[in-house]
Amino acid sequence: MDVRAILIVDGGEAERFAGRPLGLLDVLGQPLVERVAARLRNFGAEKITILSEREPFAPHFGYPNGIAALHWQHISDDGLWRACEQVFNDNAHEGAEIILVWRLGAYAEVNLEDLVQFHLDSKNRVTPVMDESGWLGIFAISASRRNDAAFLFRHQLEKCRIECHDYRFAGYRNRLSNAGEFRQLTRDALFRDNSILPAGSEIRPGVWAGPGARIEKGARIVAPAYLGARSRVRAAAVITRASSVERYAEVDCGTVVEDSTVLPFTCLGAGLDLAQSVAGFGRIAHLPRKVEVEIADSRLLAMRPVSPARRAAGNLVSMASLLLRSLPAVLSPSPSEEGVGAPTLNPEKSKDSAVGQPLFAREHERDFVMARRYGNR
Amino acid sequence: MGTVSNERSRPVVVKRMPERMTLPQARAFLREVQPFLNADRPQLVFDLSTVRQMDSAGVEMLLRCMDRAMHRDGDVKLAALSPQAAVVLELSRAARLFEIYDTSTDAARSFSCFLPNTLRRNTTLEPPAEEVNRAA
């Protein structure tokens, strides 16, 4: 049987983080849309078309065999549902018998074989998947029923043309209606409440790491936790309570990440305490307060360049600036030779340019951040 | 004190903490566990079921044990937290630094495999279901 799939990635205002649909964000090392597509492929869908109203960012993140390998169509806001109709018709022309339509939207571990069998047995034109709260945005549609499909798309998957039997689903599902539910999905995956597997290997019981993840000495990772590919956890940082640090993200010295997700390419500054939050793209969603805050200060939250060349250039620039800054210290005589080896608050000495600050403060000036050991000391 | 061997054949030392965990007891406890912390890749489980009183010295002692175990590439896990110990550990925000299990057996087993169902998931101020049932 020729079964095909249309994956719609869009979201209302609440179903987004930093303006991006939650379905495009990474869950334990892989974008959720890619995980759902893999699920459809494993089921045996001949062709999977992904329709998104946003520019997909994941291919730029270096996943050439991931999302980029799928049939991706970037659709403007108002043309999404019309495009769905068009793709449905094209698939029907090409000989599809059943077309699965999945709006991400909800993540549900539906047994697709069972769904298709139910659709055939009940002789439905359209079979919606529903739980106790209503439809989940997953449909099996007979390809020959174009009018029914068109009606469904024109009503944004909220109304069927004629009465149909619902497929009741009681397994794992997450409606992903806000950042809190997105975080819950990651937490559930780490606690193995769903079938999402971390992309990486289990380096010790309950701690998974992608290739190239670096944990500096003195950093503490409390299981369950996930560290994405090429992520970095610096000294004295703590990753705890089912937290996830996604690929290329970085957690600086002494920062505690508790029950939170750090999205790809995000750098968390030193000495911070990130709890029950989703951080990335210059924003933090604090889940208990249900608020999303933009963070402009790059010392708190910054984005690493996505392109490898830019990252390398950035590293070179920062290394050069460090060398330039340390050069005067190397060339000038050491403080002990000048007799100022100990911190001083002597009022007589404070008259000169040292302005009475302890030596400690003078040496570090603006770029110094107090880092707490394990976040508690 | 008990010793359990896990699948990787490294012993897991289970140690029950005393009822009071203030400065003198914390020092004595640290002295007792010192030899195990000095072992290669130490694996320790502290059973806190009998702890009725704990102060900052007790918390500091736990952090010190964790620190020393980490230096030797080992770990310290906590088990069967009494409500009093749970409150102090949450108050001092030290609870998030440890894996906390409902029983010492689960904690010992967790050194060899991940046991998501036995790990305490949220802030430990809410008692486990067994305690609630017993109280009812």
Side-chain angles (χ1 to χ4, degrees):
Chain A
M1 175 168 275
D2 190 341
V3 181
R4 302 189 183 198
I6 302 172
L7 206 47
I8 304 162
V9 187
D10 78 327
E13 280 306 305
E15 296 167 5
R16 288 166 189 271
F17 175 76
R20 290 170 167 78
L22 295 172
L24 290 179
L25 302 182
D26 274 29
V27 177
L28 303 185
Q30 211 176 3
L32 189 62
V33 62
E34 197 178 310
R35 289 183 180 277
V36 173
R39 197 176 177 80
L40 289 163
R41 185 163 285 169
N42 288 344
F43 157 69
E46 304 265 331
K47 182 181 170 187
I48 301 160
T49 307
I50 301 176
L51 298 167
S52 169
E53 62 182 40
R54 261 199 76 91
E55 184 75 25
F57 62 82
H60 306 302
F61 279 19
Y63 260 67
N65 299 320
I67 284 178
L70 301 164
H71 300 270
W72 192 289
Q73 287 188 24
H74 176 220
I75 309 295
S76 62
D77 290 2
D78 51 346
L80 180 69
W81 300 106
R82 201 179 293 273
C84 289
E85 214 175 312
Q86 186 59 48
V87 171
F88 186 93
N89 289 341
D90 291 346
N91 279 320
H93 270 301
E94 290 166 15
E97 289 166 84
I98 291 178
I99 297 173
L100 298 173
V101 175
W102 191 319
R103 182 174 169 268
L104 262 174
Y107 172 83
E109 297 187 342
V110 180
N111 182 339
L112 296 169
E113 274 178 39
D114 196 43
L115 169 65
V116 169
Q117 194 58 52
F118 176 87
H119 177 75
L120 295 172
D121 292 346
S122 55
K123 293 178 181 159
N124 270 349
R125 296 177 179 191
V126 176
T127 303
V129 178
M130 74 173 296
D131 65 359
E132 68 279 357
S133 314
W135 289 357
L136 284 165
I138 303 166
F139 300 84
I141 308 172
S142 299
S144 56
R145 300 295 182 179
R146 289 182 205 179
N147 288 342
D148 294 270
F151 185 91
L152 190 67
F153 290 133
R154 283 169 200 169
H155 289 85
Q156 302 188 1
L157 305 182
E158 283 172 1
K159 215 172 178 182
C160 271
R161 191 168 162 229
I162 59 164
E163 193 121 332
C164 48
H165 300 289
D166 297 321
Y167 176 82
R168 298 259 167 187
F169 178 67
Y172 183 86
R173 70 270 184 200
N174 184 323
R175 287 186 173 268
L176 288 178
S177 52
N178 52 47
E181 291 190 349
F182 172 77
R183 173 71 204 132
Q184 185 65 43
L185 183 73
T186 309
R187 196 186 296 128
D188 289 344
L190 283 171
F191 280 109
R192 297 195 180 160
D193 289 338
N194 57 35
S195 66
I196 293 176
L197 293 175
S201 53
E202 195 170 1
I203 53 172
R204 64 182 173 82
V207 178
W208 289 268
R214 280 188 290 172
I215 306 167
E216 288 187 4
K217 198 162 177 62
R220 181 152 176 81
I221 316 294
V222 182
Y226 175 75
L227 306 174
R230 308 218 174 268
S231 61
R232 186 169 186 178
V233 181
R234 289 187 183 267
V238 179
I239 310 297
T240 183
R241 286 186 180 157
S243 289
S244 161
V245 178
E246 297 292 346
R247 54 199 152 115
Y248 291 94
E250 189 174 317
V251 179
D252 212 339
C253 303
T255 289
V256 180
V257 179
E258 180 183 359
D259 193 5
S260 299
T261 294
V262 182
L263 290 171
F265 291 92
T266 302
C267 291
L268 270 182
L272 305 179
D273 202 337
L274 186 78
Q276 294 176 297
S277 303
V278 177
F281 304 108
R283 301 180 83 87
I284 290 178
H286 190 263
L287 308 177
R289 290 198 169 91
K290 294 181 181 164
V291 68
E292 196 179 306
V293 186
E294 187 170 354
I295 308 288
D297 188 346
S298 62
R299 278 187 286 187
L300 300 179
L301 191 72
M303 282 294 281
R304 290 175 83 183
V306 172
S307 121
R310 279 192 183 178
R311 269 202 308 279
N315 289 344
L316 277 174
V317 167
S318 60
M319 192 181 286
S321 71
L322 177 71
L323 283 172
L324 282 174
R325 269 185 291 160
S326 54
L327 202 61
V330 173
L331 294 176
S332 65
S334 66
S336 59
E337 287 169 20
E338 290 177 354
V340 287
T344 177
L345 285 171
N346 188 338
E348 284 177 17
K349 286 192 177 183
S350 70
K351 287 172 188 167
D352 58 29
S353 60
V355 286
Q357 289 178 30
L359 178 67
F360 188 61
R362 266 186 286 137
E363 275 181 352
H364 295 282
E365 289 184 351
R366 286 184 351 207
D367 290 342
F368 183 75
V369 177
M370 284 297 285
R372 296 165 303 158
R373 188 156 176 75
Y374 306 123
N376 281 65
R377 297 186 187 177
Chain B
M1 190 182 316
T3 309
V4 181
S5 281
N6 67 12
E7 286 165 20
R8 289 171 192 171
S9 74
R10 277 191 294 126
V12 179
V13 176
V14 181
K15 178 90 176 93
R16 179 166 288 176
M17 288 177 77
E19 199 168 310
R20 281 166 59 87
M21 192 40 92
T22 51
L23 189 59
Q25 291 84 7
R27 278 186 184 157
F29 187 84
L30 189 60
R31 269 197 302 275
E32 275 182 51
V33 295
Q34 191 71 53
F36 302 105
L37 290 168
N38 289 338
D40 180 41
R41 300 176 74 188
Q43 300 186 135
L44 280 94
V45 172
F46 293 156
D47 185 320
L48 282 80
S49 56
T50 55
V51 174
R52 296 288 168 267
Q53 192 187 352
M54 185 185 230
D55 65 4
S56 58
V59 176
E60 175 65 27
M61 187 276 301
L62 284 176
L63 293 176
R64 194 170 288 184
C65 289
M66 183 196 79
D67 202 24
R68 288 183 189 178
M70 278 177 64
H71 271 272
R72 293 179 179 274
D73 206 15
D75 204 358
V76 171
K77 301 187 182 190
L78 307 183
L81 259 65
S82 64
Q84 291 87 342
V87 167
V88 173
L89 287 174
E90 280 300 329
L91 191 69
S92 59
R93 311 196 83 178
R96 60 188 180 174
L97 300 176
F98 295 94
E99 285 174 40
I100 301 172
Y101 293 85
D102 287 341
T103 66
S104 309
T105 317
D106 289 336
R109 282 172 57 216
S110 73
F111 279 103
S112 54
C113 61
F114 179 48
L115 304 166
N117 296 328
T118 57
L119 195 62
R120 284 214 180 181
R121 294 192 176 202
N122 39 25
T123 47
T124 47
L125 288 178
E126 64 181 66
E130 284 173 23
E131 276 178 32
V132 174
N133 293 340
R134 230 180 295 146

